[in-house]
Amino acid sequence: MKLMINEGSAGEKRVALDDLILTKDLPTTAGSKMLDGYVSLFEAEVATRLQKAGYTIGGKANVGEFAIDLLGETSYFGACAKEDGTLVYAANELLEKGEVCAALQMDVNGAPRRAAALAGQYYVKPTYGTVSRFGTIPVACSGETVGVAATTAETCRQVLAAVAGYDEKDGTSLPQSMYTQPKDIKKVAILADITAAADADTQAKVAAFQAFLESKGIACEKVEVECMSAAKTAWNALMAAELCNNVSRYDGVKYGYRTPNYTNIDELYTGSRTEAFGDVLKTMILFGSDVLSTNNYEKMYDKSLRIRRVVAEAFADLFTKYDCVLLPACAKQRYTVEDVKADQYLACQEALFTAPASITGLPAVIAGGVQLVGPAFSESSMLDVAQCYGKEGK
Amino acid sequence: MQKYETVIGLEVHVEMATESKIFCSCSAKFGGEQNEHVCPACCGMPGMLPIVNKHAVDLGMTAGMMLNCHINRVTTFDKKSYYYPDLPCSYQTTQWFAPVCVNGTVTIQTANGPKDIRIKQIHMEEDAGKLVHDEWTDTSLVDFNRTSVPLIEIVSQPDLSSAEEVVAYLERLRSLLRFAKVSGCRMEQGSMRCDVNLSVRPVGSTKLGVRTEMKNMNSLSAIVRAIEYETARHIDCIESGSDELVQETRRWDDIKGKSYAMRTKETAGDYRYFPDPNIMPIVIDDEWYDRIKASLPEFPEVKKERYVNELGLTEYDADQLIQSRQMCDCFEEATAQCGRAKEVANWLISDCMKILNKKQMTVDALPISGKALGKLIALVADGKVGSANGRKILAAMFEEDIDPLTYAEQNGLIISNDTDNIKAVVKAVVAADPKSVEDFKSGKEKALMALFGKCMRELKGNCDPQVLRTVLLETING
């Protein structure tokens, strides 16, 4: 089990970076044979800010190939699993072992949220546009964000503060003037229909968190929002489309893996990509290509964009009455090597829980094995709740 | 009576004259060492994000306004996917869904009078790199200098019907875009290239024939030959009922004088366009729109009319000047300085052009300021500097930014009114050349010119020719 693909510096305040966040000193592989040994000429903005704030880069945490899988199982460097076959996510395992105090993770398809919930750790996925994506290997740019995992909510907050803020090198970065003041969380909506799709253990986690919230005088109400589950299908389509386009640059011409067996440019392209990409990634590339094809653009891509708007409007409607929503981050409490063998595309199903926040760019916080999703810029209020849970909830 | 008519639509690519590339800060200059103007962004390394060059948007809007287009106030960038080694990201960022300009017109002059050619749209996009094929080692090398240089693609409606009209249209585009400083439009450097869409149909038919496209044409004469060849080929196919006429992209081989099939509609790739999520929609507010509107130059023919009617230039001189915006700007500035439009036109058209030609520079690179030229012309017209010395000063102005009067003073090029000095010089010259004096006295007018020239040289040109002539005659005639 390879947790760190490349060890960084020793020292105080070590932070692990998902291996999609570019560093100049260490290679960045995106968990793919294609980029095995690839060293970037420049560093991610978050890595620069992190070091400026006095943190050290502890190393590059193993991720699934381009971070679209369940828990890193598609990594070229191998899945991370316990002896009993339970899948773990590298960054969270590093936190668990105390090797790092925090991890910066790319949330493309919800894996870091899922993993933090399973590990009983904390994770904050910030509002889209508040943390620079400059220097992160692009996968699904319209929804992916850099988030922070840690064993306490307070650490999540501190590390997030170190890396967040406007960056002129990222065209989607929000200027500080657009930030709004978050409200304290007094009323929470529980997404009942999505919660019902999870198993009994997971539902029990949601119920326990509800009980904690109510013990703090925070009112909880069950709501059913039909369109929320459509976020899954729509995000899978958008993610695959953007992924397909973003990984098209890995063609064996300029850098990365190149097949030794070619006699012309077409063989160079197909040979390099066939030999260096894994099966799940290839499937997603084909799916994404199909989504964007002239025949399907209206039916799939454009429709997914419309679903994105409908989901965003449904959230906006909820936030007129509630300060955030509560839902599970995954369907069950343990996933094994056998599970992903039986269904390689399990992550696409699990997107039911994570896609609503991915597709809308809304902030999410993981605490107590469950997920809070709030309006834009509400992550600090949700972290208040998570911090309180850390002290009093367990 | 002609049996067939040709229907032509053009897609013209023009490189915009920005300092830097469209999505990164690399230089957009033509040339340079191979792969000199590249950075991680324009050579497709992961992690760089596109930041739109606002000046490119300014120039895109300018082009649209020059061609009477509607400007889309919300314009977006989209990704177009295809694999080619000169395209480092394997996608090109272009405008597919909401191009910056739509629905324009360009008026051209034809044998049958003016004709409006409709513009469907103008969109901005990034250029691709260049492949260099080495036949010797049988390899291809990639040069990314041109990658991400900003382009506009001007798409016309199929309103053109002959090679002559195509040439008139391209020349008109070139003139307008150069005037507005959108681009140098140099076909030989590839900063203006053109795809020709052509079909043929019986005269009177309203249905379009089978269309073929010839890509990346970069000289007017090649375009004319290609259109003539392709038109004849279409007619042959129609007449013989050949099944060789299919919708396809063809390559024009100007040396062989033939076009060859490249790819048909069936084998053409699906570009899988979608909006680039890393580039927020660009909103052109009233302030931005008005700023560009206010910056537009007069159209060349409006300038010509003004030069002839208000400033008294000949049609010929005015035509010479309006070939280039730089010439016009210099002319107008110099005229404002010295008030002598005709002289300014002469200096520009003959003297400045001579120097430019000698230096193998184009008019767009005219390095002198109109203000300085105006001052120089005033010095000569006021009799302060002789005309030959004026040309010397002009030559110096092409080398460095100088003030003509200061330069004349420092280099002893000011006409002197010191008649004693003139008399002394003339006396010495006449004394040293008794033969010429004799020749003149015996009726050879040319001999006087020789003496005059010698005196002028001695005086370094700093003498009013009338004064010198008088003194010379007085001295000879005793």
Side-chain angles (χ1 to χ4, degrees):
Chain A
M1 155 159 104
K2 201 162 183 183
L3 295 178
M4 275 220 209
I5 301 307
N6 283 285
E7 266 319 304
S9 316
E12 295 285 299
K13 295 168 86 173
R14 285 180 97 212
V15 176
L17 305 187
D18 266 5
D19 210 13
L20 296 131
I21 299 172
L22 297 167
T23 44
K24 277 200 289 190
D25 306 327
L26 304 173
T28 306
T29 69
S32 180
K33 180 179 180 180
M34 183 56 92
L35 289 175
D36 188 12
Y38 175 77
V39 183
S40 173
L41 293 172
F42 62 99
E43 183 176 73
E45 178 68 12
V46 288
T48 307
R49 292 191 185 196
L50 200 60
Q51 292 168 93
K52 259 192 201 149
Y55 294 92
T56 45
I57 295 186
K60 309 300 280 289
N62 196 358
V63 290
E65 195 171 24
F66 290 95
I68 54 167
D69 64 0
L70 189 75
L71 289 163
E73 70 279 4
T74 61
S75 169
Y76 171 60
F77 305 96
C80 298
K82 291 184 172 162
E83 271 175 20
D84 66 353
T86 306
L87 286 169
V88 291
Y89 209 46
N92 305 86
E93 195 64 10
L94 288 166
L95 281 166
E96 188 73 43
K97 290 175 184 284
E99 291 193 27
V100 292
C101 70
L104 288 189
Q105 295 186 277
M106 282 308 290
D107 191 333
V108 180
N109 197 19
R113 273 177 279 158
R114 199 151 46 233
L118 292 168
Q121 294 174 357
Y122 294 82
Y123 182 80
V124 55
K125 173 180 118 58
T127 306
Y128 184 83
T130 59
V131 176
S132 172
R133 287 183 296 109
F134 176 85
T136 63
I137 289 185
V139 182
C141 300
S142 74
E144 69 198 12
T145 46
V146 180
V148 185
T151 51
T152 70
E154 190 51 24
T155 310
C156 284
R157 189 199 299 276
Q158 283 162 1
V159 175
L160 180 61
V163 298
Y166 177 70
D167 177 17
E168 60 177 13
K169 299 186 293 305
D170 176 353
T172 64
S173 183
L174 295 173
Q176 224 78 33
S177 60
M178 288 178 73
Y179 287 32
T180 54
Q181 204 56 39
K183 285 193 293 183
D184 284 346
I185 289 167
K186 294 191 180 111
K187 210 169 172 195
V188 173
I190 298 166
L191 290 184
D193 33 5
I194 292 188
T195 305
D199 72 1
D201 291 347
T202 308
Q203 289 188 31
K205 290 261 174 188
V206 174
F209 204 84
Q210 179 186 353
F212 158 73
L213 290 174
E214 283 165 350
S215 77
K216 292 286 136 194
I218 298 170
C220 295
E221 269 176 29
K222 288 202 163 88
V223 295
E224 292 197 357
V225 186
E226 203 186 350
C227 72
M228 283 295 172
S229 55
K232 175 185 87 169
T233 316
W235 180 241
N236 281 333
L238 293 178
M239 183 182 73
E242 293 183 38
L243 164 92
C244 153
N245 171 267
N246 273 320
V247 302
S248 62
R249 76 186 73 214
Y250 310 111
D251 56 7
V253 173
K254 308 161 292 274
Y255 50 77
Y257 179 81
R258 180 187 286 191
T259 179
N261 311 310
Y262 65 92
T263 56
N264 58 41
I265 187 70
D266 288 333
E267 286 175 17
L268 187 148
Y269 286 152
T270 46
S272 301
R273 292 166 67 84
T274 303
E275 291 163 31
F277 286 157
D279 287 346
V280 171
L281 182 63
K282 281 177 190 157
T283 307
M284 291 304 269
I285 290 171
L286 289 175
F287 174 47
S289 197
D290 201 38
V291 167
L292 289 175
S293 68
T294 308
N295 288 340
N296 290 328
Y297 185 87
E298 284 290 322
K299 289 186 284 207
M300 295 171 82
Y301 188 83
D302 196 61
K303 189 161 193 177
S304 299
L305 289 183
R306 281 179 275 145
I307 291 172
R308 164 179 273 166
R309 200 191 64 231
V310 168
V311 172
E313 283 168 358
F315 269 120
D317 189 43
L318 278 175
F319 295 144
T320 60
K321 286 170 256 161
Y322 306 96
D323 301 314
C324 72
V325 301
L326 170 61
L327 73 163
C330 45
K332 46 186 203 165
Q333 292 301 301
R334 175 174 170 260
Y335 295 85
T336 64
V337 175
E338 289 307 312
D339 288 342
V340 287
K341 246 182 219 160
D343 180 1
Q344 299 189 79
Y345 311 111
L346 204 50
C348 295
Q349 298 309 316
E350 289 288 323
L352 176 70
F353 306 98
T354 53
S358 300
I359 202 170
T360 52
L362 292 173
V365 164
I366 301 294
V370 298
Q371 175 175 217
L372 297 172
V373 178
F377 312 111
S378 69
E379 47 268 56
S380 67
S381 304
M382 292 191 288
L383 281 170
D384 288 343
V385 172
Q387 201 174 337
C388 179
Y389 173 82
K391 282 188 190 129
E392 302 170 37
K394 285 176 188 169
Chain B
M1 179 72 193
Q2 242 189 312
K3 227 173 126 189
Y4 294 100
E5 64 177 358
T6 315
V7 180
I8 303 167
L10 294 188
E11 290 160 29
V12 179
H13 287 90
V14 174
E15 273 182 4
M16 291 191 274
T18 54
E19 287 291 317
S20 53
K21 293 185 175 183
I22 188 164
F23 300 124
C24 63
S25 55
C26 287
S27 165
K29 247 198 210 140
F30 177 77
E33 286 289 308
Q34 275 153 12
N35 291 311
E36 186 184 343
H37 306 313
V38 299
C39 73
C42 57
C43 63
M45 292 182 167
M48 294 296 282
L49 294 167
I51 301 296
V52 177
N53 179 344
K54 286 275 163 64
H55 188 218
V57 183
D58 286 352
L59 293 182
M61 290 163 68
T62 304
M65 288 178 185
M66 291 302 283
L67 308 186
N68 294 311
C69 289
H70 169 76
I71 308 295
N72 272 329
R73 293 304 192 94
V74 179
T75 183
T76 56
F77 279 96
D78 309 295
K79 294 182 173 197
K80 172 183 183 179
S81 294
Y82 66 96
Y83 283 91
Y84 203 68
D86 69 4
L87 189 67
C89 280
S90 303
Y91 61 78
Q92 179 194 31
T93 305
T94 178
Q95 297 197 288
W96 180 253
F97 295 103
V100 63
C101 317
V102 291
N103 300 335
T105 46
V106 171
T107 308
I108 59 167
Q109 301 302 325
T110 72
N112 305 321
K115 178 175 176 182
D116 281 349
I117 308 302
R118 290 168 301 155
I119 304 293
K120 182 170 173 259
Q121 66 176 55
I122 303 176
H123 58 263
M124 300 179 280
E125 61 188 23
E126 55 180 341
D127 209 341
K130 235 182 218 166
L131 285 188
V132 183
H133 302 287
D134 185 346
E135 304 277 339
W136 187 253
T137 57
D138 194 25
T139 49
S140 296
L141 301 167
V142 202
D143 179 1
F144 290 132
N145 278 353
R146 204 178 64 180
T147 308
S148 279
V149 166
L151 290 178
I152 42 173
E153 181 175 335
I154 304 162
V155 184
S156 85
Q157 297 285 3
D159 289 350
L160 296 151
S161 48
S162 68
E164 293 73 39
E165 287 187 11
V166 167
V167 169
Y169 170 77
L170 288 172
E171 282 179 340
R172 181 68 179 156
L173 281 188
R174 184 161 62 179
S175 165
L176 291 176
L177 297 178
R178 280 165 53 130
F179 241 75
K181 295 184 176 168
V182 170
S183 169
C185 295
R186 300 213 186 113
M187 289 190 113
E188 74 285 0
Q189 288 187 359
S191 69
M192 186 174 189
R193 316 188 285 270
C194 158
D195 301 343
V196 178
N197 289 286
L198 181 148
S199 65
V200 166
R201 65 182 171 193
V203 169
S205 164
T206 49
K207 212 175 132 237
L208 288 167
V210 175
R211 170 170 59 91
T212 58
E213 180 179 20
M214 286 178 290
K215 281 212 171 286
N216 277 330
M217 310 286 301
N218 58 5
S219 100
L220 288 180
S221 56
I223 290 168
V224 170
R225 286 189 287 273
I227 289 173
E228 281 164 359
Y229 173 88
E230 197 59 12
T231 303
R233 192 182 71 87
H234 278 236
I235 293 173
D236 275 356
C237 289
I238 296 168
E239 303 240 296
S240 67
S242 161
D243 55 5
E244 272 173 35
L245 190 57
V246 290
Q247 188 176 330
E248 63 185 354
T249 302
R250 296 178 73 83
R251 185 175 63 84
W252 172 250
D253 185 329
D254 201 42
I255 295 163
K256 299 207 172 87
K258 280 184 168 181
S259 67
Y260 297 93
M262 271 169 73
R263 54 176 185 262
T264 63
K265 193 182 164 191
E266 283 69 36
T267 57
D270 184 333
Y271 290 126
R272 290 163 290 148
Y273 291 97
F274 75 105
D276 189 337
N278 284 321
I279 303 175
M280 296 286 103
I282 296 167
V283 180
I284 297 166
D285 58 16
D286 287 351
E287 196 208 323
W288 192 355
Y289 182 91
D290 293 343
R291 178 167 62 78
I292 301 301
K293 194 94 201 169
S295 74
L296 297 183
E298 264 175 321
F299 273 39
E301 58 276 10
V302 176
K303 275 195 193 294
K304 182 183 165 184
E305 211 177 292
R306 192 160 60 80
Y307 291 175
V308 172
N309 295 339
E310 293 175 26
L311 299 171
L313 298 193
T314 62
E315 294 248 340
Y316 176 82
D317 282 356
D319 270 333
Q320 297 296 304
L321 291 174
I322 62 161
Q323 295 308 310
S324 148
R325 171 79 184 280
Q326 275 70 14
M327 285 288 245
C328 289
D329 286 353
C330 189
F331 168 74
E332 289 173 22
E333 217 185 315
T335 303
Q337 175 69 30
C338 70
R340 297 170 179 276
K342 277 184 181 172
E343 274 116 311
V344 174
N346 283 338
W347 277 79
L348 275 170
I349 295 165
S350 67
D351 300 291
C352 291
M353 284 307 289
K354 230 179 264 170
I355 300 174
L356 286 170
N357 287 338
K358 208 167 141 195
K359 288 174 150 308
Q360 296 185 314
M361 290 161 75
T362 65
V363 277
D364 294 339
L366 188 70
I368 59 168
S369 86
K371 205 167 176 183
L373 182 65
K375 281 183 184 172
L376 173 64
I377 289 167
L379 286 176
V380 175
D382 296 346
K384 288 196 177 116
V385 168
S387 61
N389 280 339
R391 290 193 182 89
K392 269 189 205 161
I393 297 170
L394 181 68
M397 283 161 60
F398 272 75
E399 301 304 324
E400 53 183 330
D401 186 19
I402 51 166
D403 177 61
L405 180 59
T406 317
Y407 183 84
E409 284 168 353
Q410 281 167 355
N411 292 276
L413 302 174
I414 299 286
I415 283 179
S416 159
N417 294 321
D418 182 353
T419 40
D420 288 348
N421 179 42
I422 298 171
K423 278 179 182 162
V425 167
V426 169
K427 214 172 162 184
V429 168
V430 167
D433 191 0
K435 190 176 178 293
S436 292
V437 175
E438 280 311 305
D439 286 352
F440 174 65
K441 283 187 172 165
S442 62
K444 288 187 182 162
E445 276 291 323
K446 264 191 179 169
L448 183 68
M449 287 315 294
L451 288 165
F452 180 90
K454 273 185 185 168
C455 293
M456 202 48 131
R457 268 199 295 284
E458 283 293 315
L459 289 161
K460 292 183 173 134
N462 295 325
C463 180
D464 184 327
Q466 281 306 321
V467 174
L468 178 60
R469 194 181 158 83
T470 313
V471 174
L472 184 59
L473 286 170
E474 276 171 8
T475 311
I476 292 171
N477 297 328

